[in-house]
Coordinates of all heavy atoms in Angstrom, one line a residue:
M30 N -8.6 -6.4 -5.0 CA -7.9 -5.7 -4.0 C -6.5 -5.4 -4.4 O -6.0 -4.3 -4.2 CB -7.9 -6.4 -2.7 CG -7.2 -7.7 -2.7 SD -7.5 -8.7 -1.2 CE -7.9 -10.2 -1.9
Y31 N -5.9 -6.3 -5.1 CA -4.5 -6.1 -5.6 C -4.5 -5.1 -6.7 O -3.6 -4.3 -6.8 CB -3.8 -7.4 -6.0 CG -3.7 -8.4 -4.9 CD1 -4.3 -9.6 -4.9 CD2 -2.8 -8.1 -3.8 CE1 -4.2 -10.5 -3.8 CE2 -2.7 -8.9 -2.8 CZ -3.4 -10.1 -2.8 OH -3.2 -11.0 -1.7
A32 N -5.5 -5.1 -7.6 CA -5.5 -4.2 -8.7 C -5.7 -2.7 -8.2 O -5.1 -1.8 -8.7 CB -6.7 -4.5 -9.6
R33 N -6.5 -2.6 -7.1 CA -6.7 -1.2 -6.5 C -5.4 -0.7 -5.9 O -5.1 0.4 -6.1 CB -7.8 -1.3 -5.5 CG -8.2 0.1 -4.9 CD -9.2 0.0 -3.8 NE -8.6 -0.6 -2.6 CZ -9.1 -1.7 -2.0 NH1 -10.2 -2.3 -2.5 NH2 -8.5 -2.2 -1.0
R34 N -4.7 -1.6 -5.2 CA -3.5 -1.1 -4.6 C -2.4 -0.8 -5.7 O -1.7 0.1 -5.6 CB -2.9 -2.2 -3.6 CG -3.8 -2.3 -2.4 CD -3.2 -3.1 -1.3 NE -2.5 -4.3 -1.7 CZ -2.6 -5.4 -1.0 NH1 -3.3 -5.5 0.1 NH2 -1.9 -6.5 -1.4
R35 N -2.4 -1.7 -6.7 CA -1.4 -1.4 -7.8 C -1.7 -0.1 -8.5 O -0.9 0.7 -8.8 CB -1.5 -2.6 -8.8 CG -0.4 -2.5 -9.9 CD -0.4 -3.7 -10.8 NE -0.4 -4.9 -10.1 CZ -1.2 -6.0 -10.3 NH1 -2.1 -5.9 -11.3 NH2 -1.2 -7.1 -9.6
R36 N -3.0 0.1 -8.8 CA -3.4 1.4 -9.4 C -3.1 2.6 -8.6 O -2.5 3.6 -9.1 CB -4.9 1.4 -9.7 CG -5.4 2.6 -10.5 CD -6.9 2.6 -10.8 NE -7.7 2.6 -9.5 CZ -8.5 1.6 -9.1 NH1 -8.7 0.6 -9.9 NH2 -9.1 1.7 -8.0
N37 N -3.3 2.5 -7.3 CA -2.9 3.6 -6.4 C -1.4 3.9 -6.4 O -1.0 5.0 -6.4 CB -3.4 3.4 -5.0 CG -4.9 3.5 -4.8 OD1 -5.6 4.1 -5.7 ND2 -5.5 2.9 -3.8
Y38 N -0.7 2.8 -6.4 CA 0.8 2.9 -6.4 C 1.2 3.6 -7.7 O 2.0 4.6 -7.6 CB 1.4 1.5 -6.3 CG 2.9 1.5 -6.5 CD1 3.7 1.9 -5.4 CD2 3.5 1.2 -7.7 CE1 5.1 2.0 -5.6 CE2 4.9 1.2 -7.8 CZ 5.7 1.6 -6.8 OH 7.1 1.6 -6.9
F39 N 0.7 3.2 -8.9 CA 1.2 3.8 -10.1 C 0.7 5.2 -10.2 O 1.4 6.1 -10.8 CB 0.7 2.9 -11.3 CG 1.6 1.7 -11.5 CD1 1.0 0.5 -11.4 CD2 2.9 1.8 -11.7 CE1 1.8 -0.7 -11.6 CE2 3.7 0.7 -11.8 CZ 3.2 -0.5 -11.8
L40 N -0.5 5.5 -9.7 CA -0.9 6.9 -9.7 C 0.0 7.8 -8.8 O 0.3 8.9 -9.2 CB -2.4 7.0 -9.2 CG -3.5 6.6 -10.2 CD1 -4.8 6.6 -9.5 CD2 -3.5 7.5 -11.4
M41 N 0.4 7.3 -7.7 CA 1.2 8.1 -6.8 C 2.6 8.3 -7.5 O 3.2 9.4 -7.4 CB 1.3 7.5 -5.4 CG 0.1 7.5 -4.6 SD 0.2 6.7 -3.1 CE 1.1 8.0 -2.2
M42 N 3.2 7.2 -8.1 CA 4.5 7.3 -8.7 C 4.4 8.2 -9.9 O 5.4 8.9 -10.2 CB 5.0 5.9 -9.0 CG 5.3 5.1 -7.8 SD 6.5 5.9 -6.6 CE 8.0 5.8 -7.6
G43 N 3.3 8.1 -10.7 CA 3.1 9.0 -11.8 C 3.1 10.5 -11.4 O 3.7 11.4 -12.0
G44 N 2.4 10.7 -10.3 CA 2.4 12.1 -9.7 C 3.8 12.5 -9.3 O 4.1 13.7 -9.4
C45 N 4.6 11.6 -8.7 CA 5.9 11.9 -8.3 C 6.8 12.4 -9.6 O 7.5 13.4 -9.5 CB 6.6 10.7 -7.7 SG 8.3 10.9 -7.3
I46 N 6.6 11.6 -10.6 CA 7.4 11.9 -11.8 C 6.9 13.3 -12.4 O 7.8 14.1 -12.8 CB 7.3 10.8 -12.9 CG1 8.0 9.6 -12.4 CG2 7.8 11.2 -14.2 CD1 7.8 8.3 -13.2
V47 N 5.6 13.5 -12.4 CA 5.1 14.8 -13.0 C 5.6 15.9 -12.1 O 6.0 17.0 -12.7 CB 3.5 14.7 -13.0 CG1 3.0 16.1 -13.2 CG2 3.1 13.8 -14.1
L48 N 5.6 15.8 -10.8 CA 6.1 16.9 -10.0 C 7.6 17.2 -10.2 O 8.0 18.3 -10.4 CB 5.9 16.5 -8.5 CG 4.6 16.8 -7.9 CD1 4.5 16.2 -6.5 CD2 4.3 18.3 -7.8
F49 N 8.3 16.1 -10.3 CA 9.8 16.3 -10.5 C 10.1 16.9 -11.8 O 10.9 17.9 -11.9 CB 10.5 15.0 -10.3 CG 12.0 15.1 -10.4 CD1 12.7 15.6 -9.3 CD2 12.7 14.7 -11.5 CE1 14.1 15.7 -9.3 CE2 14.1 14.8 -11.5 CZ 14.8 15.3 -10.5
V50 N 9.5 16.4 -12.9 CA 9.8 16.9 -14.2 C 9.3 18.3 -14.4 O 10.0 19.2 -14.9 CB 9.2 16.0 -15.3 CG1 9.3 16.6 -16.7 CG2 10.0 14.6 -15.3
S51 N 8.1 18.6 -13.9 CA 7.5 20.0 -14.1 C 8.3 21.0 -13.2 O 8.4 22.1 -13.6 CB 6.0 20.0 -13.8 OG 5.8 19.7 -12.4
A52 N 8.8 20.5 -12.1 CA 9.5 21.4 -11.2 C 10.8 22.0 -11.9 O 11.0 23.2 -11.9 CB 9.9 20.7 -9.9
W53 N 11.5 21.1 -12.6 CA 12.7 21.5 -13.2 C 12.6 21.9 -14.7 O 13.5 22.6 -15.2 CB 13.8 20.4 -13.0 CG 14.2 20.3 -11.6 CD1 13.9 19.3 -10.8 CD2 14.7 21.3 -10.8 NE1 14.3 19.6 -9.5 CE2 14.8 20.8 -9.5 CE3 15.2 22.6 -11.0 CZ2 15.4 21.5 -8.4 CZ3 15.7 23.3 -9.9 CH2 15.8 22.8 -8.7
A54 N 11.5 21.6 -15.3 CA 11.3 22.0 -16.7 C 10.6 23.3 -16.8 O 10.8 24.1 -17.7 CB 10.5 20.9 -17.5
V55 N 9.6 23.6 -15.9 CA 8.8 24.8 -16.0 C 8.9 25.7 -14.8 O 9.2 26.9 -15.0 CB 7.3 24.3 -16.2 CG1 6.4 25.5 -16.4 CG2 7.2 23.4 -17.5
V56 N 8.6 25.2 -13.6 CA 8.5 26.0 -12.5 C 9.8 26.7 -12.1 O 9.7 27.9 -11.6 CB 7.9 25.1 -11.3 CG1 7.8 26.0 -10.0 CG2 6.6 24.6 -11.6
R57 N 10.9 26.1 -12.3 CA 12.2 26.8 -11.9 C 12.4 28.1 -12.7 O 13.2 28.9 -12.2 CB 13.4 25.8 -12.2 CG 13.7 25.6 -13.6 CD 15.0 24.8 -13.8 NE 15.2 24.5 -15.2 CZ 15.8 25.3 -16.0 NH1 16.3 26.4 -15.7 NH2 15.9 24.9 -17.3
L58 N 11.8 28.2 -13.8 CA 11.9 29.5 -14.6 C 11.3 30.7 -13.9 O 11.7 31.8 -14.0 CB 11.3 29.3 -16.0 CG 11.9 28.2 -16.8 CD1 11.2 28.1 -18.1 CD2 13.4 28.5 -17.1
W59 N 10.2 30.4 -13.0 CA 9.6 31.5 -12.3 C 9.9 31.5 -10.9 O 10.0 32.6 -10.3 CB 8.0 31.3 -12.4 CG 7.5 31.6 -13.8 CD1 7.3 32.9 -14.3 CD2 7.3 30.7 -14.9 NE1 6.9 32.8 -15.6 CE2 6.9 31.5 -16.0 CE3 7.3 29.3 -15.0 CZ2 6.5 30.9 -17.2 CZ3 7.0 28.7 -16.2 CH2 6.6 29.5 -17.3
S60 N 10.1 30.4 -10.2 CA 10.4 30.4 -8.8 C 11.3 29.2 -8.4 O 10.8 28.0 -8.4 CB 9.1 30.3 -8.0 OG 9.3 30.2 -6.6
M61 N 12.5 29.4 -8.0 CA 13.4 28.3 -7.6 C 12.9 27.7 -6.3 O 12.9 26.5 -6.2 CB 14.8 28.8 -7.5 CG 15.8 27.7 -7.3 SD 15.9 26.5 -8.6 CE 16.9 27.3 -9.7
P62 N 12.5 28.5 -5.3 CA 12.0 27.8 -4.0 C 10.8 26.9 -4.3 O 10.7 25.9 -3.6 CB 11.6 29.0 -3.1 CG 12.5 30.2 -3.6 CD 12.6 29.9 -5.1
A63 N 9.9 27.3 -5.2 CA 8.7 26.5 -5.5 C 9.2 25.2 -6.1 O 8.6 24.1 -5.8 CB 7.7 27.2 -6.4
A64 N 10.2 25.3 -7.0 CA 10.7 24.1 -7.7 C 11.3 23.1 -6.7 O 11.1 21.9 -6.7 CB 11.7 24.4 -8.8
I65 N 12.0 23.7 -5.7 CA 12.7 22.9 -4.7 C 11.6 22.3 -3.8 O 11.7 21.1 -3.4 CB 13.7 23.7 -3.9 CG1 14.9 24.1 -4.8 CG2 14.2 23.0 -2.6 CD1 15.8 25.1 -4.2
A66 N 10.6 23.0 -3.4 CA 9.5 22.5 -2.6 C 8.8 21.3 -3.3 O 8.4 20.3 -2.7 CB 8.5 23.6 -2.3
M67 N 8.6 21.5 -4.6 CA 7.9 20.4 -5.4 C 8.8 19.2 -5.4 O 8.3 18.0 -5.3 CB 7.7 20.9 -6.9 CG 6.6 21.9 -7.0 SD 6.4 22.6 -8.6 CE 5.8 21.2 -9.5
C68 N 10.1 19.3 -5.5 CA 11.0 18.2 -5.5 C 11.0 17.5 -4.1 O 11.1 16.3 -4.0 CB 12.4 18.6 -5.8 SG 12.6 18.8 -7.6
V69 N 10.9 18.3 -3.0 CA 10.8 17.7 -1.7 C 9.5 16.9 -1.5 O 9.6 15.8 -1.0 CB 10.9 18.8 -0.6 CG1 10.6 18.3 0.8 CG2 12.3 19.4 -0.6
V70 N 8.4 17.4 -2.0 CA 7.2 16.6 -2.0 C 7.3 15.4 -2.9 O 6.9 14.3 -2.4 CB 6.0 17.5 -2.5 CG1 4.8 16.7 -2.7 CG2 5.8 18.6 -1.5
A71 N 8.0 15.5 -4.0 CA 8.2 14.3 -4.9 C 9.1 13.3 -4.2 O 8.9 12.1 -4.5 CB 8.8 14.8 -6.2
M72 N 10.0 13.8 -3.4 CA 10.9 12.8 -2.7 C 10.2 12.0 -1.6 O 10.5 10.9 -1.3 CB 12.0 13.7 -2.0 CG 13.0 12.9 -1.2 SD 14.2 13.9 -0.4 CE 13.3 14.8 0.8
V73 N 9.1 12.6 -1.0 CA 8.4 11.9 0.0 C 7.4 10.9 -0.6 O 7.0 9.9 0.1 CB 7.6 12.9 0.9 CG1 6.7 12.3 1.9 CG2 8.6 13.8 1.6
I74 N 6.9 11.0 -1.8 CA 5.9 10.2 -2.4 C 6.3 8.7 -2.5 O 5.5 7.8 -2.2 CB 5.4 10.8 -3.7 CG1 4.6 12.1 -3.4 CG2 4.5 9.8 -4.4 CD1 4.2 12.8 -4.7
P75 N 7.5 8.4 -3.0 CA 7.8 6.9 -3.2 C 7.7 6.1 -1.9 O 7.1 5.0 -2.0 CB 9.2 6.9 -3.8 CG 9.3 8.2 -4.5 CD 8.5 9.2 -3.6
P76 N 8.2 6.5 -0.8 CA 8.0 5.6 0.4 C 6.6 5.5 0.8 O 6.1 4.4 1.2 CB 8.8 6.3 1.5 CG 9.7 7.3 0.9 CD 9.1 7.6 -0.5
V77 N 5.8 6.6 0.7 CA 4.4 6.5 1.0 C 3.7 5.6 0.0 O 2.8 4.8 0.4 CB 3.7 7.9 1.0 CG1 2.2 7.8 1.1 CG2 4.4 8.8 2.1
A78 N 4.1 5.6 -1.3 CA 3.4 4.8 -2.3 C 3.8 3.3 -2.0 O 2.9 2.4 -2.2 CB 4.0 5.2 -3.7
A79 N 5.0 3.0 -1.6 CA 5.3 1.6 -1.2 C 4.5 1.1 0.0 O 4.0 0.0 0.0 CB 6.8 1.5 -0.9
M80 N 4.3 2.0 1.0 CA 3.4 1.6 2.1 C 2.0 1.4 1.7 O 1.4 0.4 2.2 CB 3.5 2.7 3.2 CG 4.8 2.7 3.9 SD 4.8 3.9 5.3 CE 5.5 5.3 4.5
V81 N 1.5 2.2 0.8 CA 0.1 2.0 0.3 C 0.0 0.7 -0.5 O -1.0 0.0 -0.3 CB -0.3 3.3 -0.5 CG1 -1.6 3.0 -1.3 CG2 -0.5 4.5 0.3
A82 N 1.0 0.5 -1.3 CA 0.9 -0.7 -2.1 C 1.0 -2.0 -1.3 O 0.5 -3.1 -1.7 CB 2.0 -0.7 -3.2
N83 N 1.7 -2.0 -0.2 CA 2.0 -3.2 0.6 C 1.0 -3.3 1.8 O 1.1 -4.3 2.6 CB 3.4 -3.2 1.1 CG 4.3 -3.5 -0.1 OD1 4.1 -4.4 -0.9 ND2 5.4 -2.7 -0.2
R84 N 0.2 -2.4 2.0 CA -0.8 -2.4 3.1 C -1.8 -3.5 3.0 O -2.3 -3.7 1.9 CB -1.4 -1.0 3.2 CG -2.4 -0.9 4.4 CD -2.9 0.5 4.4 NE -3.5 0.8 3.1 CZ -4.7 1.3 2.9 NH1 -5.5 1.5 3.8 NH2 -5.1 1.5 1.6
R85 N -2.1 -4.1 4.0 CA -3.1 -5.2 4.0 C -4.5 -4.5 4.4 O -4.6 -3.8 5.3 CB -2.9 -6.2 5.0 CG -1.6 -7.0 4.8 CD -1.8 -8.2 4.0 NE -0.6 -8.9 3.8 CZ -0.4 -9.8 2.9 NH1 -1.3 -10.0 2.0 NH2 0.8 -10.4 2.8
G86 N -5.5 -4.8 3.6 CA -6.8 -4.3 3.8 C -7.6 -5.2 4.7 O -7.2 -6.3 5.0
P87 N -8.8 -4.8 5.2 CA -9.6 -5.6 6.0 C -10.1 -6.9 5.3 O -10.4 -7.9 5.9 CB -10.8 -4.7 6.4 CG -10.7 -3.6 5.5 CD -9.3 -3.5 4.9
E88 N -10.2 -6.8 3.9 CA -10.6 -8.0 3.2 C -9.5 -9.0 2.9 O -9.8 -10.1 2.4 CB -11.3 -7.5 1.9 CG -10.3 -6.9 0.9 CD -10.1 -5.4 1.0 OE1 -10.6 -4.8 2.0 OE2 -9.4 -4.9 0.2
D89 N -8.3 -8.6 3.2 CA -7.1 -9.5 3.0 C -7.0 -10.4 4.2 O -6.6 -10.0 5.3 CB -5.8 -8.7 2.8 CG -5.8 -7.9 1.6 OD1 -6.6 -8.2 0.7 OD2 -5.0 -7.0 1.5
R90 N -7.4 -11.6 4.1 CA -7.5 -12.6 5.2 C -6.3 -13.5 5.2 O -6.4 -14.7 5.2 CB -8.8 -13.4 5.2 CG -10.0 -12.5 5.2 CD -10.1 -11.8 6.5 NE -10.2 -12.7 7.6 CZ -11.1 -12.6 8.6 NH1 -11.9 -11.6 8.6 NH2 -11.1 -13.5 9.5
W91 N -5.1 -13.0 5.1 CA -3.8 -13.8 5.0 C -3.6 -14.6 6.3 O -2.9 -15.6 6.3 CB -2.6 -12.9 4.7 CG -2.4 -11.8 5.7 CD1 -3.0 -10.6 5.7 CD2 -1.6 -11.8 6.9 NE1 -2.6 -9.8 6.7 CE2 -1.7 -10.6 7.5 CE3 -0.8 -12.8 7.5 CZ2 -1.1 -10.2 8.6 CZ3 -0.2 -12.5 8.6 CH2 -0.3 -11.2 9.2
W92 N -4.1 -14.2 7.4 CA -3.9 -14.9 8.7 C -4.8 -16.1 8.8 O -4.6 -16.9 9.7 CB -4.0 -14.0 9.9 CG -5.4 -13.4 10.0 CD1 -6.5 -13.9 10.6 CD2 -5.8 -12.1 9.5 NE1 -7.6 -13.1 10.4 CE2 -7.2 -12.0 9.8 CE3 -5.2 -11.1 8.8 CZ2 -7.9 -10.9 9.4 CZ3 -5.9 -10.0 8.4 CH2 -7.2 -9.9 8.7
D93 N -5.7 -16.3 7.9 CA -6.7 -17.4 8.0 C -6.1 -18.7 7.4 O -6.8 -19.7 7.4 CB -8.0 -17.0 7.4 CG -8.8 -16.1 8.2 OD1 -8.4 -15.9 9.4 OD2 -9.8 -15.5 7.7
D94 N -5.0 -18.6 6.8 CA -4.4 -19.8 6.2 C -4.2 -20.9 7.3 O -3.7 -20.6 8.3 CB -3.1 -19.5 5.5 CG -3.3 -18.7 4.3 OD1 -4.4 -18.6 3.8 OD2 -2.3 -18.0 3.9
P95 N -4.6 -22.1 7.0 CA -4.4 -23.2 8.0 C -2.9 -23.4 8.3 O -2.1 -23.3 7.4 CB -5.0 -24.4 7.4 CG -5.6 -24.0 6.1 CD -5.3 -22.6 5.8
S96 N -2.6 -23.7 9.5 CA -1.3 -23.9 9.9 C -0.8 -25.3 9.7 O 0.4 -25.5 9.7 CB -1.1 -23.5 11.4 OG -1.8 -24.4 12.2
G97 N -1.7 -26.2 9.6 CA -1.3 -27.6 9.4 C -1.6 -28.4 10.7 O -1.6 -29.6 10.6
D98 N -1.7 -27.7 11.8 CA -2.0 -28.4 13.1 C -3.5 -28.3 13.3 O -4.0 -27.3 13.6 CB -1.2 -27.7 14.2 CG -1.5 -28.3 15.6 OD1 -2.0 -29.5 15.6 OD2 -1.2 -27.6 16.6
P99 N -4.2 -29.5 13.2 CA -5.7 -29.4 13.3 C -6.2 -28.9 14.7 O -7.2 -28.1 14.7 CB -6.1 -30.9 13.2 CG -4.9 -31.6 12.7 CD -3.7 -30.8 13.0
T100 N -5.5 -29.2 15.7 CA -5.9 -28.7 17.1 C -5.8 -27.2 17.1 O -6.7 -26.5 17.6 CB -5.0 -29.3 18.2 OG1 -5.1 -30.7 18.0 CG2 -5.5 -28.9 19.5
S101 N -4.7 -26.7 16.6 CA -4.5 -25.2 16.6 C -5.5 -24.5 15.7 O -6.0 -23.5 16.1 CB -3.0 -24.9 16.2 OG -2.8 -23.5 16.0
D102 N -5.7 -25.1 14.5 CA -6.7 -24.5 13.6 C -8.1 -24.5 14.2 O -8.8 -23.5 14.1 CB -6.7 -25.3 12.3 CG -5.4 -25.1 11.5 OD1 -4.7 -24.1 11.8 OD2 -5.1 -25.9 10.6
E103 N -8.5 -25.6 14.9 CA -9.8 -25.6 15.5 C -9.9 -24.5 16.6 O -10.9 -23.8 16.8 CB -10.1 -26.9 16.2 CG -10.5 -28.0 15.2 CD -10.7 -29.3 15.9 OE1 -11.0 -29.3 17.1 OE2 -10.5 -30.4 15.2
W104 N -8.8 -24.3 17.4 CA -8.8 -23.4 18.5 C -8.9 -21.9 17.9 O -9.7 -21.1 18.4 CB -7.5 -23.5 19.2 CG -7.4 -22.7 20.4 CD1 -8.0 -22.8 21.6 CD2 -6.6 -21.5 20.6 NE1 -7.6 -21.8 22.5 CE2 -6.8 -21.0 21.9 CE3 -5.7 -20.8 19.7 CZ2 -6.2 -19.8 22.3 CZ3 -5.1 -19.6 20.2 CH2 -5.4 -19.1 21.5
W105 N -8.2 -21.6 16.8 CA -8.3 -20.3 16.2 C -9.6 -20.1 15.6 O -10.2 -19.0 15.7 CB -7.1 -20.1 15.2 CG -5.8 -19.8 15.9 CD1 -4.8 -20.6 15.9 CD2 -5.5 -18.6 16.5 NE1 -3.7 -20.0 16.6 CE2 -4.1 -18.8 17.0 CE3 -6.1 -17.4 16.8 CZ2 -3.5 -17.8 17.7 CZ3 -5.4 -16.4 17.6 CH2 -4.1 -16.6 18.0
D106 N -10.2 -21.1 15.0 CA -11.5 -21.0 14.4 C -12.6 -20.7 15.5 O -13.5 -19.9 15.3 CB -11.9 -22.2 13.6 CG -11.1 -22.3 12.3 OD1 -10.6 -21.3 11.9 OD2 -11.1 -23.4 11.7
E107 N -12.4 -21.3 16.6 CA -13.3 -21.1 17.7 C -13.2 -19.7 18.2 O -14.2 -19.0 18.5 CB -13.0 -22.1 18.9 CG -14.0 -22.0 20.0 CD -13.6 -23.0 21.1 OE1 -13.1 -24.0 20.8 OE2 -14.0 -22.7 22.3
L108 N -12.0 -19.2 18.3 CA -11.8 -17.8 18.8 C -12.4 -16.8 17.8 O -12.9 -15.8 18.2 CB -10.3 -17.5 19.0 CG -9.6 -18.0 20.2 CD1 -8.1 -17.7 20.2 CD2 -10.3 -17.4 21.5
D109 N -12.2 -17.1 16.5 CA -12.8 -16.2 15.5 C -14.3 -16.3 15.3 O -14.9 -15.5 14.6 CB -12.1 -16.4 14.1 CG -10.7 -16.0 14.1 OD1 -10.3 -15.1 14.9 OD2 -9.9 -16.5 13.3
G110 N -14.9 -17.3 16.0 CA -16.3 -17.5 15.8 C -16.7 -18.2 14.6 O -17.9 -18.0 14.1
K111 N -15.8 -18.9 14.0 CA -16.1 -19.6 12.7 C -16.3 -21.1 13.0 O -15.7 -21.7 13.9 CB -14.9 -19.5 11.7 CG -14.8 -18.1 11.2 CD -13.8 -18.0 10.1 CE -12.4 -18.5 10.5 NZ -11.4 -18.4 9.4
K112 N -17.2 -21.7 12.3 CA -17.5 -23.1 12.3 C -16.7 -23.8 11.2 O -16.7 -23.4 10.1 CB -18.9 -23.5 12.2 CG -19.8 -22.9 13.3 CD -19.7 -23.8 14.5 CE -20.7 -23.3 15.5 NZ -20.5 -23.8 16.8
R113 N -16.0 -24.9 11.6 CA -15.3 -25.7 10.6 C -16.2 -26.6 9.8 O -17.1 -27.2 10.4 CB -14.2 -26.5 11.2 CG -13.0 -25.6 11.4 CD -11.8 -26.5 11.4 NE -10.9 -26.0 10.4 CZ -9.7 -26.4 10.2 NH1 -9.3 -27.4 10.9 NH2 -9.0 -25.8 9.3
R114 N -16.0 -26.7 8.6 CA -16.9 -27.6 7.8 C -16.1 -28.8 7.3 O -15.0 -28.8 7.1 CB -17.4 -26.8 6.6 CG -18.3 -25.7 7.0 CD -18.8 -24.9 5.8 NE -19.5 -23.8 6.4 CZ -19.8 -22.7 5.7 NH1 -19.5 -22.7 4.4 NH2 -20.5 -21.7 6.2

């Protein structure tokens, strides 16, 4: 799960760099508004990439860690429908 999120993050950030560099190296020679639009899109990608990289998936069970209080852990296990072993 972490490898998938990391790969998605690097793909998005790579796309950001490609957009930015190609906008000012190539596209600006033909259309300045298109180059500016590409930079605006590239500006939005990093925050979205950070949200994608830090998002918890349904398989991430971080809330299942025991709290240390046996009574509380039994209560939460009962609510989740799990049997303690």
Side-chain angles (χ1 to χ4, degrees):
M30 67 190 131
Y31 295 115
R33 184 183 70 237
R34 291 193 317 220
R35 187 178 308 133
R36 185 181 61 243
N37 288 340
Y38 174 78
F39 284 120
L40 284 174
M41 291 178 78
M42 292 305 289
C45 175
I46 291 171
V47 166
L48 276 173
F49 186 74
V50 170
S51 65
W53 293 112
V55 178
V56 176
R57 72 173 172 89
L58 300 173
W59 287 281
S60 173
M61 188 61 81
I65 292 171
M67 288 172 70
C68 284
V69 169
V70 171
M72 179 182 69
V73 174
I74 291 174
V77 174
M80 286 185 265
V81 166
N83 291 314
R84 182 179 50 129
R85 299 266 185 203
E88 67 275 2
D89 295 338
R90 301 296 298 225
W91 56 272
W92 59 86
D93 285 348
D94 292 339
S96 67
D98 179 19
T100 308
S101 175
D102 292 340
E103 283 180 25
W104 186 75
W105 283 108
D106 288 342
E107 182 181 333
L108 281 179
D109 289 338
K111 293 190 299 184
K112 296 279 186 198
R113 276 210 126 172
R114 295 177 187 165

